[in-house]
């Protein structure tokens, strides 16, 4: 077993499914919430001489934050999330951490306990070999898969601290991602007139109205130029709800829309434009609700200290040292908006994240840990502070 195998097996074996706003603790499902895995991370680091503490964000749902002082008062933030998505439909035991052909299987193996394990190994190594050039703060945060409360709590805790940049752990196939899309999600409703299905001419079919909306969305792409690393903005219907019974003309139909935004787009402005566009399709028959999810895109300059150092470490290891973009959202955009230049990096592929047989190659977890160590050690103390 590789050095990451035992650690990642333990992490995956501790259920930490995001409760999505539901209760945790007494009376709740035992696989919900992040407290148990946060405690494990704290204890594992403490056993290796790294000061770590739990910081409760929501009742029973803490972040875990560890600090390794450096020779410079500035520090590099290593941030990865503790929570996972649900386990329904998995074809492997979600919590067994089965190892087969060099891969570890289970929920969270690559999203994002693999990156978390790599960051833990890197932090322990940096602590064991004298003060690194920069200090390191490792943060395992809750609620990334739902409402981002963990990273927002972390940002509040870091207020006034001198953070030169962050590496955010997500499955990027071991490439440095300095850009990713944001999103705005909202519900669209068509308003018909319900009636008996034997007399459809006396009703207004809301599902038929919605078919016109969906057809429009299929044909009308967002009118913004593509991003060089991210490609085009997208707009996708992700859920449809409509109909009361087999013999009733439906009076209401709803769809949810996921609009992926590019750097430079404000998600609320995007929603307002979409609302104007869609309500004009069938005047008086369409409602567009306020967004239920808003997240911003990431676009970190590749020359920022942490991305540049990470790309240097990748080059020295003979890996792809170019910068990339990712289509999914991460905590990095929240950190960047708080003034912390951030790069997304980690072992595993997003194609395996949330999948029925989620897994990660253990050799890649080990390599990610070594690359993070080299990134921190290669940073120049004489470099400028971030603004």
């Amino acid at each position: 077993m590789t050095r990451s195998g035992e650690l990642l097996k333990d992490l995956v074996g501790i259920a930490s499914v995001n409760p999505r706003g539901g209760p945790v603790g007494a009376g709740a499902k035992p696989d919900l919430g992040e407290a148990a895995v946060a405690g494990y991370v704290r204890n594992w680091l403490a056993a290796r001489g790294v000061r770590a503490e739990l910081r409760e964000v929501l009742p029973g749902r803490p972040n875990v934050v560890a600090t390794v002082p450096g020779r410079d008062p500035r520090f590099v933030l290593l941030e990865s999330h503790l929570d996972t998505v649900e386990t329904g439909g998995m074809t492997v035991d979600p919590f067994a951490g089965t190892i087969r052909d060099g891969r570890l299987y289970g929920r969270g193996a690559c999203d994002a306990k693999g990156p978390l394990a790599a960051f833990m190994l890197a932090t322990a190594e940096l602590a064991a070999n004298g003060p690194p050039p920069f200090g390191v703060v490792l943060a395992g945060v809750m609620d990334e898969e739902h409402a981002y409360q963990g990273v927002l709590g972390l940002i509040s805790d870091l207020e006034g601290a001198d953070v030169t940049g962050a590496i955010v752990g997500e499955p990027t196939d071991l490439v440095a991602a300095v850009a990713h899309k944001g999103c705005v999600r909202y519900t669209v409703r068509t308003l018909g007139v319900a009636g008996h299905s034997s007399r459809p001419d006396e009703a207004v079919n809301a599902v038929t109205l919605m078919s016109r909306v969906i057809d429009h969305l299929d044909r009308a792409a967002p009118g913004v130029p593509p991003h060089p690393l991210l490609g085009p903005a997208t707009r996708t219907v992700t859920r449809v709800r409509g109909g009361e019974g087999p013999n009733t003309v439906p009076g209401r139909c709803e769809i949810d829309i996921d609009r992926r935004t590019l750097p430079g787009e404000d998600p609320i402005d995007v929603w307002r434009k979409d609302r104007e566009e869609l309500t004009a399709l069938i005047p008086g028959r369409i409602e567009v609700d306020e967004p239920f999810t808003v997240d911003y895109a990431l676009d970190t300059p590749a020359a920022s200290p942490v991305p540049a150092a990470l790309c240097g470490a990748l080059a020295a290891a003979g890996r792809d040292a170019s910068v990339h973009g990712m289509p999914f959202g991460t905590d990095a955009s929240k950190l960047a908006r708080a003034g912390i230049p951030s790069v997304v990096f980690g072992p595993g592929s997003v194609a395996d994240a949330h999948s029925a047989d989620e897994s990660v190659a253990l050799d890649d977890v080990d390599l990610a840990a070594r690359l993070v160590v080299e990134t921190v050690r290669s940073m120049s103390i004489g470099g400028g502070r971030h603004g």
Side-chain angles (χ1 to χ4, degrees):
M1 185 182 296
T2 68
R3 66 179 182 143
S4 63
E6 182 178 354
L7 172 58
L8 184 54
K9 186 178 180 69
D10 286 349
L11 291 172
V12 168
I14 303 171
S16 56
V17 176
N18 192 304
R20 301 194 185 277
V24 298
K29 289 180 62 179
D31 60 351
L32 297 181
E34 303 90 348
V37 73
Y40 176 91
V41 173
R42 176 195 59 191
N43 295 341
W44 189 94
L45 290 167
R48 288 153 181 82
V50 179
R51 181 172 60 86
E53 60 182 341
L54 302 186
R55 299 181 182 177
E56 191 170 69
V57 180
L58 296 175
R61 300 183 64 191
N63 290 342
V64 55
V65 181
T67 304
V68 177
R71 300 195 298 274
D72 190 283
R74 293 169 291 176
F75 63 83
V76 176
L77 173 65
L78 308 177
E79 193 260 31
S80 193
H81 61 92
L82 303 168
D83 58 320
T84 73
V85 296
E86 296 78 4
T87 61
M90 291 193 72
T91 57
V92 298
D93 186 324
F95 306 124
T98 302
I99 298 173
R100 186 170 64 250
D101 298 328
R103 300 184 69 86
L104 187 143
Y105 290 79
R107 180 56 83 225
C110 76
D111 186 16
K113 291 179 178 179
L116 176 63
F119 289 0
M120 292 167 67
L121 290 166
T123 300
E125 182 171 340
L126 288 164
N129 290 281
F134 282 70
V136 173
V137 169
L138 168 62
V141 304
M142 47 77 75
D143 199 40
E144 189 273 346
E145 297 286 5
H146 180 58
Y148 324 123
Q149 293 300 306
V151 70
L152 297 179
L154 175 66
I155 288 167
S156 178
D157 286 343
L158 293 176
E159 187 173 357
D162 198 349
V163 190
T164 199
I167 305 176
V168 173
E170 293 284 356
T172 69
D173 285 312
L174 295 175
V175 300
V178 295
H180 68 60
K181 294 181 179 180
C183 74
V184 57
R185 300 185 183 119
Y186 56 90
T187 298
V188 177
R189 185 176 303 104
T190 49
L191 305 174
V193 178
H196 198 284
S197 60
S198 68
R199 303 167 70 92
D201 292 345
E202 297 175 2
V204 179
N205 193 318
V207 170
T208 301
L209 296 178
M210 187 61 79
S211 70
R212 292 165 58 183
V213 177
I214 294 173
D215 180 64
H216 170 81
L217 291 167
D218 282 344
R219 290 183 290 104
V224 293
H227 185 275
L229 294 178
L230 299 172
T234 59
R235 190 166 55 176
T236 306
V237 177
T238 57
R239 187 159 50 176
V240 180
R241 300 176 293 277
E244 298 295 333
N247 59 347
T248 300
V249 176
R252 291 163 64 92
C253 184
E254 293 182 343
I255 60 173
D256 291 342
I257 293 176
D258 179 301
R259 166 67 155 85
R260 296 288 164 151
T261 60
L262 299 179
E265 289 192 288
D266 183 282
I268 297 300
D269 288 344
V270 165
W271 168 76
R272 291 189 181 115
K273 291 175 183 175
D274 281 7
R275 179 180 60 179
E276 181 179 356
E277 173 189 340
L278 296 175
T279 54
L281 290 175
I282 313 172
R285 294 288 186 186
I286 295 181
E287 295 177 342
V288 179
D289 288 352
E290 298 274 338
F292 57 84
T293 301
V294 174
D295 194 17
Y296 286 80
L298 174 74
D299 201 12
T300 301
S304 299
V306 174
L310 175 59
C311 287
L314 285 162
R319 307 288 299 195
D320 180 357
S322 60
V323 294
H324 293 254
M326 295 290 152
F328 53 86
T330 78
D331 282 343
S333 60
K334 275 67 77 179
L335 293 167
R337 284 176 60 79
I340 301 172
S342 300
V343 58
V344 186
F345 173 76
S349 168
V350 70
D352 290 313
H354 304 189
S355 68
D357 59 348
E358 182 174 351
S359 68
V360 69
L362 291 172
D363 284 347
D364 286 350
V365 178
D366 289 329
L367 178 56
R370 292 197 299 272
L371 289 165
V372 169
V373 169
E374 292 309 311
T375 296
V376 175
R377 286 178 176 165
S378 68
M379 293 185 66
S380 169
I381 292 178
R385 295 172 180 265
H386 90 273

